[in-house]
Amino acid sequence: MTEANITVSERAARRIGEILKSEGDGAMLRISVEGGGCSGFQYKFDIERAKADDDLVIARDTAVVLVDPASVPFLTGSEVDFVDDLIGASFRVVNPNATASCGCGTSFSI
């Protein structure tokens, strides 16, 4: 499954790698899309140790990101980035499929 073209920025890969290192061997970051949030859908980030056979696997440097097949269509063409600004440090998904998003950037609509 590589047609989704979901990318991880260098900053995000570095931060994900730091987080996974502190979680121990075999840790991976799962990004999924769920219904909810103030705009209809929301991004969810979890640490996983098991990969499903149909997961999309995105690897960059020491970062390993998993995306389940139900979330892939919502994330196609997206870039996962890590931003550290005055509001705080967080992962941000730059999603070309989103027609609107909330102020905090964790939920979106299509």
Side-chain angles (χ1 to χ4, degrees):
M1 243 182 153
T2 57
E3 72 278 355
N5 194 28
I6 302 167
T7 59
V8 176
S9 73
E10 182 180 341
R11 284 186 304 242
R14 187 170 41 251
R15 183 64 183 129
I16 292 167
E18 291 168 1
I19 292 168
L20 297 180
K21 184 178 179 183
S22 70
E23 292 291 327
D25 290 343
M28 298 168 275
L29 179 71
R30 178 173 298 281
I31 302 174
S32 56
V33 174
E34 297 182 340
C38 53
S39 295
F41 295 99
Q42 60 188 358
Y43 303 110
K44 185 176 178 193
F45 300 89
D46 292 301
I47 301 297
E48 291 272 336
R49 296 207 180 277
K51 177 188 118 22
D53 290 338
D54 55 356
D55 278 341
L56 172 65
V57 179
I58 305 159
R60 179 169 183 172
D61 303 325
T62 59
V64 179
V65 177
L66 305 174
V67 181
D68 64 272
S71 298
V72 168
F74 296 103
L75 294 169
T76 296
S78 296
E79 179 183 49
V80 179
D81 196 10
F82 182 75
V83 180
D84 191 357
D85 56 22
L86 291 174
I87 298 172
S90 64
F91 289 105
R92 302 260 168 89
V93 179
V94 181
N95 189 338
N97 305 304
T99 58
S101 63
C102 66
C104 64
T106 59
S107 70
F108 65 100
S109 61
I110 293 183

